[in-house]
Amino acid sequence: MQSSNLPLKKQIFSIPNLFGYFRILILPVIAWLYLNAKEPSDYYVVTGLLILSSCTDFLDGLIARKFHMITDIGKVLDPISDKLTQGVLAICLMSRYSLMIPLVILFIVKETYMGIMGIIFLRKKILHGAFWFGKICTAILDVSIIVLIIFPTMPMNAVNTLIIICICFMIFSFVCYIIQYTKMLRE
């Protein structure tokens, strides 16, 4: 039996979805700890919570597939919790690094576009997974955010280089999505 055919209450409280809720609920704690960090150990605590969040992200998909607990709620919840995590962390990093401001603006514009297009494709019953360029952009952003959090005393030249690399890949990914989505709408 497909999990999406289960009653709504069972879908809402499935183990994979509970992991997704946890990832969203832990974000204010992570943000508060980062913004109030003073010692290197404070940043390690933030990193530990991010690793915990990443583990639950990995586990929710694994459990959902292995135990046939894939739900429509989970299909929406997982990418939302991913993007919220990235967005909150990028905004936190803006408090230390001014070059994060254009990255955050680009992130918001790109994700708004992706959300709108996702709704359009959902209404047209056009389903697609993540594209390679989106996965690469996400991986680079995630690794860069973790590096910036773990190494708060990194030289500013290295910080700015890392942020510029993220911006370039985000622009590349955004342009590729626009091209891909335009093709898909024409078909």
Side-chain angles (χ1 to χ4, degrees), residues 113-114 117-118 120-122 124-131 133 176-187:
Y113 171 80
M114 301 286 292
M117 294 308 291
I120 290 169
F121 287 128
L122 192 61
K124 291 181 177 266
K125 307 237 188 281
I126 300 172
L127 300 175
H128 65 84
F131 295 104
F133 42 85
C176 288
Y177 270 112
I178 291 169
I179 292 167
Q180 186 66 41
Y181 285 169
T182 302
K183 278 187 203 174
M184 290 169 66
L185 285 173
R186 287 183 184 152
E187 293 173 356

Side-chain angles (χ1 to χ4, degrees), residues 69-147:
M69 299 173 109
I70 297 171
T71 65
D72 291 336
I73 293 169
K75 290 176 187 176
V76 173
L77 180 64
D78 188 57
I80 286 174
S81 57
D82 290 342
K83 296 308 172 186
L84 282 174
T85 300
Q86 289 176 333
V88 166
L89 294 173
I91 289 168
C92 285
L93 289 167
M94 275 183 1
S95 69
R96 291 183 63 96
Y97 310 113
S98 60
L99 195 53
M100 286 299 293
I101 294 169
L103 187 140
V104 168
I105 292 168
L106 180 59
F107 178 84
I108 291 168
V109 169
K110 177 182 173 276
E111 294 308 321
T112 300
Y113 171 80
M114 301 286 292
I116 291 167
M117 294 308 291
I119 291 168
I120 290 169
F121 287 128
L122 192 61
R123 287 187 176 167
K124 291 181 177 266
K125 307 237 188 281
I126 300 172
L127 300 175
H128 65 84
F131 295 104
W132 66 269
F133 42 85
K135 289 181 179 184
I136 289 173
C137 178
T138 296
I140 289 170
L141 182 61
D142 288 349
V143 168
S144 298
I145 286 172
I146 294 290
V147 167

Side-chain angles (χ1 to χ4, degrees), residues 3 9 27 30 72 81 85 87 98 135 137 159 164 167 169:
S3 289
K9 185 175 179 180
L27 284 174
I30 291 171
D72 291 336
S81 57
T85 300
S98 60
K135 289 181 179 184
C137 178
V159 168
I164 289 169
I167 290 171
F169 273 94

